[in-house]
mmCIF file of all heavy atoms in Angstrom:
data_model
loop_
_atom_site.group_PDB
_atom_site.id
_atom_site.type_symbol
_atom_site.label_atom_id
_atom_site.label_comp_id
_atom_site.label_asym_id
_atom_site.label_seq_id
_atom_site.Cartn_x
_atom_site.Cartn_y
_atom_site.Cartn_z
ATOM 1 N N VAL A 34 116.528 73.222 109.418
ATOM 2 C CA VAL A 34 116.000 74.582 109.234
ATOM 3 C C VAL A 34 115.682 74.735 107.751
ATOM 4 O O VAL A 34 114.666 75.426 107.407
ATOM 5 C CB VAL A 34 116.976 75.639 109.799
ATOM 6 C CG1 VAL A 34 116.497 77.030 109.412
ATOM 7 C CG2 VAL A 34 117.093 75.432 111.284
ATOM 8 N N GLY A 35 116.460 74.250 106.833
ATOM 9 C CA GLY A 35 116.220 74.381 105.381
ATOM 10 C C GLY A 35 114.914 73.645 105.073
ATOM 11 O O GLY A 35 114.096 74.113 104.268
ATOM 12 N N GLN A 36 114.701 72.466 105.618
ATOM 13 C CA GLN A 36 113.439 71.703 105.353
ATOM 14 C C GLN A 36 112.220 72.460 105.911
ATOM 15 O O GLN A 36 111.249 72.549 105.168
ATOM 16 C CB GLN A 36 113.530 70.332 106.042
ATOM 17 C CG GLN A 36 112.433 69.358 105.670
ATOM 18 C CD GLN A 36 111.349 69.349 106.786
ATOM 19 O OE1 GLN A 36 111.626 69.573 107.914
ATOM 20 N NE2 GLN A 36 110.150 69.100 106.362
ATOM 21 N N TYR A 37 112.367 73.075 107.074
ATOM 22 C CA TYR A 37 111.273 73.869 107.623
ATOM 23 C C TYR A 37 110.941 75.031 106.729
ATOM 24 O O TYR A 37 109.808 75.385 106.525
ATOM 25 C CB TYR A 37 111.557 74.374 109.024
ATOM 26 C CG TYR A 37 111.846 73.299 110.069
ATOM 27 C CD1 TYR A 37 112.672 73.595 111.107
ATOM 28 C CD2 TYR A 37 111.276 72.028 109.992
ATOM 29 C CE1 TYR A 37 112.925 72.660 112.084
ATOM 30 C CE2 TYR A 37 111.502 71.126 110.951
ATOM 31 C CZ TYR A 37 112.325 71.379 111.998
ATOM 32 O OH TYR A 37 112.610 70.480 112.979
ATOM 33 N N SER A 38 111.987 75.640 106.137
ATOM 34 C CA SER A 38 111.763 76.839 105.326
ATOM 35 C C SER A 38 111.101 76.461 103.994
ATOM 36 O O SER A 38 110.263 77.212 103.479
ATOM 37 C CB SER A 38 113.080 77.585 105.096
ATOM 38 O OG SER A 38 113.914 76.957 104.169
ATOM 39 N N ARG A 39 111.471 75.313 103.464
ATOM 40 C CA ARG A 39 110.804 74.892 102.202
ATOM 41 C C ARG A 39 109.348 74.562 102.431
ATOM 42 O O ARG A 39 108.497 74.923 101.658
ATOM 43 C CB ARG A 39 111.531 73.611 101.637
ATOM 44 C CG ARG A 39 112.886 73.965 101.052
ATOM 45 C CD ARG A 39 113.490 72.779 100.338
ATOM 46 N NE ARG A 39 113.858 71.640 101.258
ATOM 47 C CZ ARG A 39 115.014 71.600 101.943
ATOM 48 N NH1 ARG A 39 115.870 72.579 101.854
ATOM 49 N NH2 ARG A 39 115.223 70.576 102.751
ATOM 50 N N LEU A 40 109.030 73.972 103.616
ATOM 51 C CA LEU A 40 107.643 73.712 103.991
ATOM 52 C C LEU A 40 106.887 74.988 104.208
ATOM 53 O O LEU A 40 105.790 75.149 103.750
ATOM 54 C CB LEU A 40 107.548 72.852 105.214
ATOM 55 C CG LEU A 40 106.190 72.525 105.795
ATOM 56 C CD1 LEU A 40 105.343 71.755 104.717
ATOM 57 C CD2 LEU A 40 106.332 71.677 107.030
ATOM 58 N N TRP A 41 107.536 75.978 104.888
ATOM 59 C CA TRP A 41 106.905 77.259 105.076
ATOM 60 C C TRP A 41 106.624 77.918 103.735
ATOM 61 O O TRP A 41 105.519 78.467 103.548
ATOM 62 C CB TRP A 41 107.855 78.180 105.937
ATOM 63 C CG TRP A 41 107.337 79.603 105.888
ATOM 64 C CD1 TRP A 41 106.227 80.112 106.574
ATOM 65 C CD2 TRP A 41 107.803 80.653 105.095
ATOM 66 N NE1 TRP A 41 106.060 81.423 106.250
ATOM 67 C CE2 TRP A 41 107.022 81.767 105.368
ATOM 68 C CE3 TRP A 41 108.889 80.790 104.165
ATOM 69 C CZ2 TRP A 41 107.260 83.039 104.724
ATOM 70 C CZ3 TRP A 41 109.078 82.007 103.604
ATOM 71 C CH2 TRP A 41 108.273 83.099 103.862
ATOM 72 N N HIS A 42 107.550 77.874 102.865
ATOM 73 C CA HIS A 42 107.369 78.478 101.529
ATOM 74 C C HIS A 42 106.156 77.897 100.828
ATOM 75 O O HIS A 42 105.336 78.673 100.243
ATOM 76 C CB HIS A 42 108.658 78.285 100.695
ATOM 77 C CG HIS A 42 108.766 79.183 99.538
ATOM 78 N ND1 HIS A 42 108.476 78.714 98.290
ATOM 79 C CD2 HIS A 42 109.040 80.473 99.362
ATOM 80 C CE1 HIS A 42 108.615 79.735 97.405
ATOM 81 N NE2 HIS A 42 108.994 80.793 98.077
ATOM 82 N N ALA A 43 106.071 76.637 100.801
ATOM 83 C CA ALA A 43 104.888 75.946 100.131
ATOM 84 C C ALA A 43 103.596 76.371 100.793
ATOM 85 O O ALA A 43 102.587 76.695 100.117
ATOM 86 C CB ALA A 43 105.046 74.430 100.176
ATOM 87 N N LEU A 44 103.552 76.327 102.146
ATOM 88 C CA LEU A 44 102.332 76.635 102.837
ATOM 89 C C LEU A 44 101.985 78.161 102.696
ATOM 90 O O LEU A 44 100.838 78.551 102.708
ATOM 91 C CB LEU A 44 102.411 76.244 104.310
ATOM 92 C CG LEU A 44 102.448 74.732 104.560
ATOM 93 C CD1 LEU A 44 102.682 74.437 106.021
ATOM 94 C CD2 LEU A 44 101.155 74.088 104.067
ATOM 95 N N PHE A 45 103.048 78.960 102.652
ATOM 96 C CA PHE A 45 102.821 80.420 102.479
ATOM 97 C C PHE A 45 102.056 80.659 101.194
ATOM 98 O O PHE A 45 101.036 81.360 101.136
ATOM 99 C CB PHE A 45 104.097 81.182 102.548
ATOM 100 C CG PHE A 45 103.947 82.638 102.143
ATOM 101 C CD1 PHE A 45 103.338 83.545 102.997
ATOM 102 C CD2 PHE A 45 104.461 83.071 100.882
ATOM 103 C CE1 PHE A 45 103.154 84.849 102.585
ATOM 104 C CE2 PHE A 45 104.243 84.350 100.541
ATOM 105 C CZ PHE A 45 103.677 85.265 101.398
ATOM 106 N N TRP A 46 102.594 80.184 100.094
ATOM 107 C CA TRP A 46 101.953 80.408 98.765
ATOM 108 C C TRP A 46 100.558 79.690 98.664
ATOM 109 O O TRP A 46 99.706 80.204 97.977
ATOM 110 C CB TRP A 46 102.922 80.027 97.618
ATOM 111 C CG TRP A 46 103.971 81.065 97.472
ATOM 112 C CD1 TRP A 46 105.274 80.938 97.855
ATOM 113 C CD2 TRP A 46 103.775 82.398 97.068
ATOM 114 N NE1 TRP A 46 105.882 82.123 97.653
ATOM 115 C CE2 TRP A 46 105.001 83.048 97.163
ATOM 116 C CE3 TRP A 46 102.731 83.174 96.579
ATOM 117 C CZ2 TRP A 46 105.277 84.377 96.809
ATOM 118 C CZ3 TRP A 46 102.864 84.475 96.282
ATOM 119 C CH2 TRP A 46 104.181 85.076 96.357
ATOM 120 N N ALA A 47 100.475 78.584 99.395
ATOM 121 C CA ALA A 47 99.140 77.949 99.452
ATOM 122 C C ALA A 47 98.079 78.834 100.145
ATOM 123 O O ALA A 47 96.917 78.766 99.857
ATOM 124 C CB ALA A 47 99.239 76.588 100.143
ATOM 125 N N SER A 48 98.568 79.663 101.087
ATOM 126 C CA SER A 48 97.615 80.533 101.749
ATOM 127 C C SER A 48 97.240 81.766 100.931
ATOM 128 O O SER A 48 96.294 82.435 101.222
ATOM 129 C CB SER A 48 98.212 81.004 103.130
ATOM 130 O OG SER A 48 99.256 81.892 102.899
ATOM 131 N N ILE A 49 98.003 82.044 99.890
ATOM 132 C CA ILE A 49 97.792 83.215 99.078
ATOM 133 C C ILE A 49 97.120 82.900 97.740
ATOM 134 O O ILE A 49 96.170 83.524 97.306
ATOM 135 C CB ILE A 49 99.065 84.002 98.841
ATOM 136 C CG1 ILE A 49 99.576 84.595 100.183
ATOM 137 C CG2 ILE A 49 98.949 85.051 97.798
ATOM 138 C CD1 ILE A 49 100.850 85.285 100.089
ATOM 139 N N ALA A 50 97.706 81.931 97.040
ATOM 140 C CA ALA A 50 97.287 81.596 95.680
ATOM 141 C C ALA A 50 96.206 80.493 95.674
ATOM 142 O O ALA A 50 96.411 79.436 96.295
ATOM 143 C CB ALA A 50 98.446 81.135 94.845
ATOM 144 N N LYS A 51 95.075 80.807 95.080
ATOM 145 C CA LYS A 51 93.964 79.863 95.049
ATOM 146 C C LYS A 51 94.397 78.439 94.447
ATOM 147 O O LYS A 51 93.950 77.424 94.921
ATOM 148 C CB LYS A 51 92.825 80.394 94.268
ATOM 149 C CG LYS A 51 92.066 81.538 94.995
ATOM 150 C CD LYS A 51 90.923 82.008 94.192
ATOM 151 C CE LYS A 51 90.263 83.201 94.846
ATOM 152 N NZ LYS A 51 89.237 83.768 94.077
#
Side-chain angles (χ1 to χ4, degrees):
V34 173
Q36 186 262 332
Y37 299 151
S38 73
R39 288 187 293 277
L40 178 59
W41 169 76
H42 195 259
L44 292 174
F45 170 72
W46 285 107
S48 72
I49 292 177
K51 289 180 183 177

